[in-house]
Amino acid sequence: MLAAIEEVVTDEKTRKNITDAIKQIPISDTSNMRRVESLASDVFETLLDKLRKAEVMSLAVDESTDNSDVAQLCLYVRFFDGECFREDLLGLIPMEGHTTGEIIFTKIASFFEENNLDLARVNMLVTDGGQGSGARWEDGSCGSAGEISALPQIHQRDHGLCHGNYCLQHRLFRKLLTDMSAEYKDLLIHNDIRWLSKGNVLKRFCELRGEILVFLRSSKLKKAGRFLSLMENDELNAVVCFLSDVFQHLNQLNMELQGREKTVAELVEKLHAFQRKLSLFSADLCPGKMLHFPTLRKSGLQITEVMSGFIDSLKNNFSTRFEDFSISSEVMRFVKDPFWVNVEADFALKGKELVSSLDEGSLQLELIDIQSSDDLRQSLLQAGFEKFWTHEVSPEKFPQSRGLSLFLLTMFGSTYTCESSFSHMNAIKTHNRISLTDQHLQHCLRIALTTYTPDFTALSKSNKCHFSH
């Protein structure tokens, strides 16, 4: 239409008015879909091109089911593109039927083969807790045995709170809290898939215990009487206060593990610190101390054997969950501070166990040169350890040290990027999932998440289009 107007309308003012009016016409759904496909394909091909040049990459995998009951496997990749570390959506893979570790591994392997990506370059698989697909990498099924680690997570996806209660009793209880000028106006409701839920629910419950007792004593319902007998049970209340304190510590750890662009070195450091804290909590759980159990201490209730057993079980759980994560703490610390490494010890050997192509002798010599350089020491302090390895350390002069550090910094530390992308997918699928194919869903999600700016001019000579997911 614009081209025709240019030819047939000679008056410049009239032509401008008509052209402006035409440009206000929304483009059709077909044109929108065509542009989304073009943009998404352009973004994806650019990502694939960079991945084929990357020496190493790591994967984060998580799963969510859309409102058409199709499980979607979200696959994120982290790699160094020559300038910085990038975390991008690699694919959204539909999963029909069962979603076992074996099937997930097969799907990922097929995806890599279809897109001409080298699965042997994957150095870490991070999952939301499932072990099956990680085991396939670790037993050599992907061709990179000895250079792959599987790191499970301890948090769950964050979705909206579920709501529900007996309406009348709920209203009466909230009115009582208002009348008593309580700090909070309601209790929180627990949801199994909300990763901070248990701790927050228990904390609010303990803080409103007095008001809850008043409400139950004033109620004439039989169920209220049963609840009241539980609320007046000192042993039960002691356990609730204890769990409130424990979950607050777990929630604090979860918060520290959340967020984008966090390196595996930082996250493993937090996990090791928490394991040490558990030993401290075990010793602290005795009368007269309880420095780390303020809710239990304030309640004045007795410590039970169940509590000590719970802390011991938690310690064992952490040890078991991460026992297969074989990267030594010395190698992890090297990334953040290479000046700390003891060159004469077995550090180089541990590095070679992680990266088989590493030259131990060259690595030792490079480390001595790095540790003897005041300029590099100052650069580490000023630039931070990520930029230190990517921009300050010469790849020609220190290839072994830099290669080992980039190998580690490429690793994902959590599935946070996958989980956060599901909120975008929910926005897309809630309104449009029935009319979207799996491919269109992936196109929309890729456009919604991408930070890459395509060349709009090459895609269209008309006005730049706008997208709304």
Side-chain angles (χ1 to χ4, degrees):
M1 291 174 67
L2 291 171
I5 294 298
E6 290 289 335
E7 293 293 329
V8 301
V9 179
T10 56
D11 182 70
E12 184 176 345
K13 184 177 180 180
T14 303
R15 184 171 61 226
K16 184 179 184 304
N17 290 336
I18 297 175
T19 299
D20 290 344
I22 291 174
K23 288 181 178 180
Q24 298 302 315
I25 301 174
I27 57 179
S28 69
D29 55 352
T30 330
S31 299
N32 261 315
M33 184 174 67
R34 203 164 47 240
R35 290 190 177 197
V36 169
E37 290 174 349
S38 298
L39 290 169
S41 298
D42 187 50
V43 170
F44 187 47
E45 287 302 321
T46 300
L47 175 61
L48 290 178
D49 183 59
K50 291 181 178 293
L51 284 175
R52 290 167 189 145
K53 297 175 183 177
E55 295 183 5
V56 67
M57 67 189 80
S58 69
L59 298 178
V61 179
D62 203 0
E63 179 191 322
S64 178
T65 302
D66 62 31
N67 58 3
S68 61
D69 291 330
V70 176
Q72 300 287 345
L73 189 69
C74 185
L75 192 62
Y76 256 81
V77 63
R78 178 179 169 90
F79 66 103
F80 181 63
D81 68 357
E83 292 294 328
C84 62
F85 291 97
R86 290 181 55 175
E87 295 181 5
D88 283 305
L89 174 70
L90 183 56
L92 195 64
I93 306 174
M95 306 287 289
E96 300 84 8
H98 297 290
T99 56
T100 63
E102 181 85 11
I103 293 174
I104 289 174
F105 172 84
T106 303
K107 288 279 189 179
I108 295 174
S110 298
F111 181 89
F112 267 66
E113 184 178 354
E114 290 168 4
N115 292 287
N116 195 26
L117 295 174
D118 188 358
L119 202 58
R121 296 186 185 182
V122 177
N123 68 352
M124 173 169 278
L125 172 69
V126 183
T127 69
D128 64 350
Q131 301 297 319
S133 52
R136 287 295 301 273
W137 256 283
E138 292 172 335
D139 68 11
S141 299
C142 72
S144 60
E147 295 190 9
I148 184 75
S149 298
L151 179 63
Q153 298 303 294
I154 66 169
H155 58 268
Q156 296 171 305
R157 289 193 295 276
D158 185 13
H159 293 297
L161 279 173
C162 61
H163 296 278
N165 210 326
Y166 291 105
C167 297
L168 175 60
Q169 300 304 317
H170 194 188
R171 289 197 301 271
L172 291 174
F173 180 64
R174 287 188 297 184
K175 184 177 185 302
L176 174 68
L177 294 178
T178 301
D179 293 343
M180 296 181 69
S181 300
E183 182 178 357
Y184 302 105
K185 304 305 178 185
D186 204 350
L187 285 169
L188 295 178
I189 301 171
H190 170 59
N191 186 334
D192 279 332
I193 61 172
R194 187 176 174 88
W195 55 269
L196 293 181
S197 183
K198 288 187 178 72
N200 292 338
V201 167
L202 289 171
K203 180 181 178 182
R204 179 71 60 86
F205 178 83
C206 291
E207 291 174 344
L208 289 177
R209 183 173 179 272
E211 289 83 356
I212 295 172
L213 285 170
V214 171
F215 178 76
L216 292 176
R217 286 166 181 160
S218 65
S219 177
K220 297 180 180 179
L221 296 176
K222 290 183 179 179
K223 188 172 290 187
R226 292 198 296 271
F227 285 136
L228 181 60
S229 65
L230 292 174
M231 291 286 295
E232 291 176 338
N233 184 316
D234 286 345
E235 184 175 347
L236 177 64
N237 277 284
V239 171
V240 172
C241 293
F242 164 76
L243 288 176
S244 175
D245 290 326
V246 170
F247 277 111
Q248 289 308 306
H249 292 305
L250 287 170
N251 284 356
Q252 179 62 36
L253 173 63
N254 268 312
M255 293 295 291
E256 292 173 351
L257 297 179
Q258 297 301 305
R260 289 179 177 270
E261 307 298 336
K262 289 195 174 182
T263 67
V264 69
E266 294 172 299
L267 299 181
V268 169
E269 187 179 82
K270 296 292 184 184
L271 291 171
H272 286 166
F274 189 77
Q275 287 177 286
R276 289 185 60 192
K277 289 178 183 178
L278 288 174
S279 298
L280 180 65
F281 296 160
S282 181
D284 183 56
L285 198 60
C286 62
K289 294 182 70 175
M290 291 189 285
L291 300 176
H292 305 286
F293 299 92
T295 307
L296 180 60
R297 183 179 69 246
K298 184 179 178 180
S299 71
L301 298 170
Q302 297 297 313
I303 298 169
T304 66
E305 292 183 6
V306 173
M307 300 176 189
S308 300
F310 187 90
I311 295 294
D312 291 338
S313 296
L314 200 57
K315 289 166 63 177
N316 293 334
N317 180 279
F318 268 78
S319 298
T320 302
R321 180 176 285 265
F322 298 103
E323 65 183 357
D324 293 330
F325 187 68
S326 57
I327 303 176
S328 71
S329 57
E330 292 89 348
V331 175
M332 282 294 184
R333 187 169 178 181
F334 152 78
V335 176
K336 299 187 70 175
D337 187 4
F339 298 93
W340 169 87
V341 174
N342 183 355
V343 179
E344 288 78 17
D346 60 351
F347 171 78
L349 175 61
K350 291 180 179 178
K352 187 171 179 62
E353 290 174 353
L354 185 63
V355 184
S356 60
S357 60
L358 204 66
D359 186 316
E360 293 180 63
S362 297
L363 177 60
Q364 288 178 323
L365 296 177
E366 289 179 14
L367 282 172
I368 290 176
D369 288 338
I370 289 174
Q371 293 175 352
S372 301
S373 172
D374 290 335
D375 289 340
L376 287 178
R377 189 184 296 273
Q378 191 64 29
S379 295
L380 177 63
L381 293 174
Q382 293 177 349
F385 64 93
E386 279 196 58
K387 288 187 177 180
F388 172 77
W389 289 114
T390 57
H391 291 83
E392 303 296 331
V393 175
S394 168
E396 291 79 19
K397 189 174 181 181
F398 305 106
Q400 305 299 319
S401 303
R402 190 172 184 271
L404 178 59
S405 65
L406 294 187
F407 184 93
L408 292 163
L409 289 172
T410 298
M411 292 178 171
F412 268 112
S414 74
T415 56
Y416 179 83
T417 48
C418 290
E419 296 164 12
S420 59
S421 69
F422 282 132
S423 60
H424 292 276
M425 190 178 80
N426 287 337
I428 296 168
K429 72 188 183 187
T430 299
H431 299 98
N432 306 305
R433 182 64 183 104
I434 296 176
S435 60
L436 286 176
T437 65
D438 290 318
Q439 186 180 26
H440 289 153
L441 177 62
Q442 184 166 187
H443 286 329
C444 292
L445 184 59
R446 195 177 298 282
I447 292 300
L449 295 174
T450 188
T451 56
Y452 166 69
T453 305
D455 183 359
F456 283 85
T457 307
L459 295 171
S460 175
K461 293 182 179 179
S462 59
N463 288 344
K464 294 180 181 180
C465 53
H466 300 278
F467 293 96
S468 172
H469 66 268

